[in-house]
Amino acid sequence: MQTNFSPEQLADPHVAESEQILRKCVHCGFCTATCPTYVLLGDELDSPRGRIYLIKDMLENGRAADTETVTHIDRCLSCLSCMTTCPSGVDYMHLVDHARIHIENTYRRPFKDRVARSVIAATLPYPQRFRAALRAARLARPMAGLLKRVPWLKTFGVMLDLAPAALPPTVAKPKVHSAKGARRGRVALLTGCAQPVLRPEINEATIRLLTGQGIEVVLAEEEGCCGALVHHMGREEQALKAARRNVDAWLKAADEGGLDAVVITASGCGTTIKDYGHMLRLDPAYAEKAARVSALAKDITEYLADLDLPEQQARGLTVAYHSACSMQHGQKITTMPKQLLKRAGFSVRDPAEGHLCCGSAGTYNILQPEISAKLKARKVGNIEATKPNVIATGNIGCITQIATGTAIPIVHTVELLDWAYGGPKPAGI
């Protein structure tokens, strides 16, 4: 793609990077075949190629974002399926990240959108606030239908629909979980923000499985939200603050006792943490440290694949494996989770259209509920067609989203692996 940026514009490293990304696009349109929003809506501007044209026009002309551009960029799930398909290697992820930051800095959203986004950014990344909000949501749930009929309160009605009917109890965890038997390794585990509130059993299963395999697990002091939720809302400073805090926390743990990896059980977080080196590349105080953390970051299935877990007898249980977009497209992890499940004795099936997003995508199911609901229905239909006993996936957002559309139990992949290697049977199976 030909570009026409001025030397003054290219002096901005963010613009210079986006210009190089834009120049790689050859307009081939391969991305349209795998883009969920284009598949659903059939609008060129709701395809990666269309959004690239909008971003190019906005950045090249140095203008503030307009309503049309914002509408179509907001509809992007950041599923990154287009990057898997693209034959030219267009780095759409970093291009749309830059576009969202530009939108956040130059576009004044309607009041109702500003309020909703501010509430999300101030609540979801903080476990105590998130838990308090969910408890309040249980009381307000009967009002969900009414709120959704009021345009400026619609988003809050959607939030109430998504809130769980009950929350698991909060249990304090020690900061170090010793390996059982001879120690084979030492890792830090990202505890996360939404996951320990909604499904604390995922981290519990992870700790149990790793320590049972001789791995010491550290929950680093001061570690918090990875920053993904606000990063995808264009709130750059809030995201970078979260990244710096985690970099400091994990490198302190590494300096104190060494780390083989920073293990992550939410693939959406994993994609972001593996990108810390890029996010902080222009920060002289953190560039090198962030790159070190990104190099340590591993999805739990990546780490387990290196442990050579023993093969187990068949369990007679059929698992539909849903590969989260952030897993298969963001981190390019496609076979490891399924291989681990098969080795653990499960029969694994791949649903049709596995490359398409389930519609969760961080806060997408809150901010774009209509498109999200259509994607969920499509995903659930494909999963149910495999006639599984249970659904497994590696991302809390997908778990929460899919669970609202089917009666089939859905668990994290690590919960099934923990059960196969001596842990308790996951609830609901």
Side-chain angles (χ1 to χ4, degrees):
M1 179 180 287
Q2 184 178 358
T3 59
N4 292 289
F5 289 90
S6 69
E8 291 76 19
Q9 287 176 307
L10 294 176
D12 181 333
H14 298 290
V15 173
E17 180 189 42
S18 289
E19 191 260 356
Q20 290 300 309
I21 297 170
L22 288 167
R23 290 177 69 87
K24 280 193 171 185
C25 179
V26 297
H27 326 280
C28 68
F30 282 16
C31 58
T32 62
T34 58
C35 173
T37 49
Y38 183 77
V39 168
L40 280 184
L41 305 175
D43 186 336
E44 174 73 14
L45 294 180
D46 285 314
S47 74
R49 182 172 61 183
R51 292 184 180 109
I52 285 172
Y53 278 114
L54 290 172
I55 294 168
K56 176 181 182 292
D57 179 68
M58 177 175 66
L59 297 179
E60 204 170 59
N61 290 299
R63 63 173 176 79
D66 58 25
T67 300
E68 181 183 45
T69 301
V70 172
T71 296
H72 295 293
I73 298 298
D74 281 355
R75 286 180 186 163
C76 173
L77 294 126
S78 279
C79 69
L80 309 181
S81 181
C82 55
M83 290 181 63
T84 297
T85 311
C86 180
S88 303
V90 175
D91 186 358
Y92 179 82
M93 179 175 81
H94 290 130
L95 181 65
V96 79
D97 284 347
H98 182 201
R100 286 184 167 128
I101 293 167
H102 185 80
I103 288 168
E104 184 68 15
N105 292 336
T106 66
Y107 181 73
R108 186 167 177 82
R109 294 180 180 274
F111 176 74
K112 64 181 180 64
D113 294 344
R114 297 200 307 272
V115 171
R117 286 170 172 262
S118 295
V119 169
I120 290 169
T123 306
L124 264 65
Y126 307 96
Q128 290 184 338
R129 298 181 197 174
F130 185 41
R131 186 176 287 107
L134 290 179
R135 284 175 178 156
R138 283 188 296 172
L139 301 175
R141 184 186 294 276
M143 298 174 61
L146 175 62
L147 294 179
K148 286 191 291 185
R149 289 196 291 271
V150 180
W152 70 279
L153 293 174
K154 180 179 178 181
T155 301
F156 296 98
V158 172
M159 290 183 193
L160 291 178
D161 278 346
L162 290 170
L167 286 177
T170 304
V171 179
K173 297 280 182 209
K175 291 300 179 183
V176 178
H177 297 261
S178 300
K180 292 179 172 60
R183 196 178 92 171
R184 300 169 60 191
R186 186 174 189 262
V187 302
L189 174 66
L190 170 72
T191 55
C193 48
Q195 182 171 285
V197 176
L198 297 170
R199 294 269 187 130
E201 59 266 34
I202 295 173
N203 285 343
E204 291 167 4
T206 303
I207 292 169
R208 206 163 38 235
L209 179 58
L210 287 173
T211 55
Q213 296 298 318
I215 308 300
E216 182 175 281
V217 179
V218 179
L219 308 182
E221 296 280 358
E222 303 302 324
E223 169 251 279
C225 174
C226 69
L229 289 172
V230 290
H231 180 56
H232 294 306
M233 295 169 71
R235 296 178 175 240
E236 182 182 29
E237 286 309 312
Q238 189 176 348
L240 294 183
K241 182 179 179 181
R244 292 185 187 102
R245 181 190 61 238
N246 287 339
V247 166
D248 287 340
W250 289 325
L251 291 187
K252 181 182 178 184
D255 292 341
E256 289 174 348
L259 286 180
D260 304 315
V262 174
V263 170
I264 303 147
T265 55
S267 61
C269 302
T271 301
T272 296
I273 294 167
K274 288 181 178 182
D275 200 44
Y276 276 2
H278 181 273
M279 290 168 63
L280 291 166
R281 71 196 184 283
L282 302 177
D283 185 334
Y286 277 87
E288 185 178 347
K289 294 190 291 186
R292 184 180 164 195
V293 166
S294 289
L296 283 171
K298 285 189 175 184
D299 183 75
I300 180 61
T301 56
E302 284 184 287
Y303 190 77
L304 291 173
D306 290 335
L307 294 184
D308 194 25
L309 299 175
E311 192 165 352
Q312 302 292 88
Q313 291 184 341
R315 287 182 168 266
L317 201 69
T318 299
V319 179
Y321 176 69
H322 164 68
S323 186
C325 297
S326 46
M327 187 81 84
Q328 61 173 312
H329 305 307
Q331 299 183 58
K332 307 302 181 189
I333 301 170
T334 55
T335 60
M336 285 179 189
K338 292 184 285 187
Q339 289 171 348
L340 287 165
L341 288 168
K342 290 174 184 176
R343 192 170 181 82
F346 299 101
S347 174
V348 180
R349 292 180 182 169
D350 291 312
E353 296 186 323
H355 63 284
L356 289 181
C357 185
C358 70
S360 172
T363 59
Y364 193 90
N365 55 359
I366 298 173
L367 299 173
Q368 299 286 336
E370 291 84 7
I371 298 174
S372 174
K374 291 177 182 177
L375 289 171
K376 177 177 70 175
R378 190 166 180 147
K379 178 63 65 178
V380 167
N382 284 323
I383 288 173
E384 290 182 340
T386 68
K387 302 189 183 306
N389 302 113
V390 63
I391 306 163
T393 189
N395 191 54
I396 182 62
C398 302
I399 291 172
T400 305
Q401 172 83 341
I402 294 170
T404 62
T406 182
I408 300 170
I410 179 166
V411 298
H412 194 287
T413 305
V414 79
E415 294 180 83
L416 292 178
L417 297 175
D418 174 52
W419 176 33
Y421 293 100
K425 186 177 181 180
I429 297 179

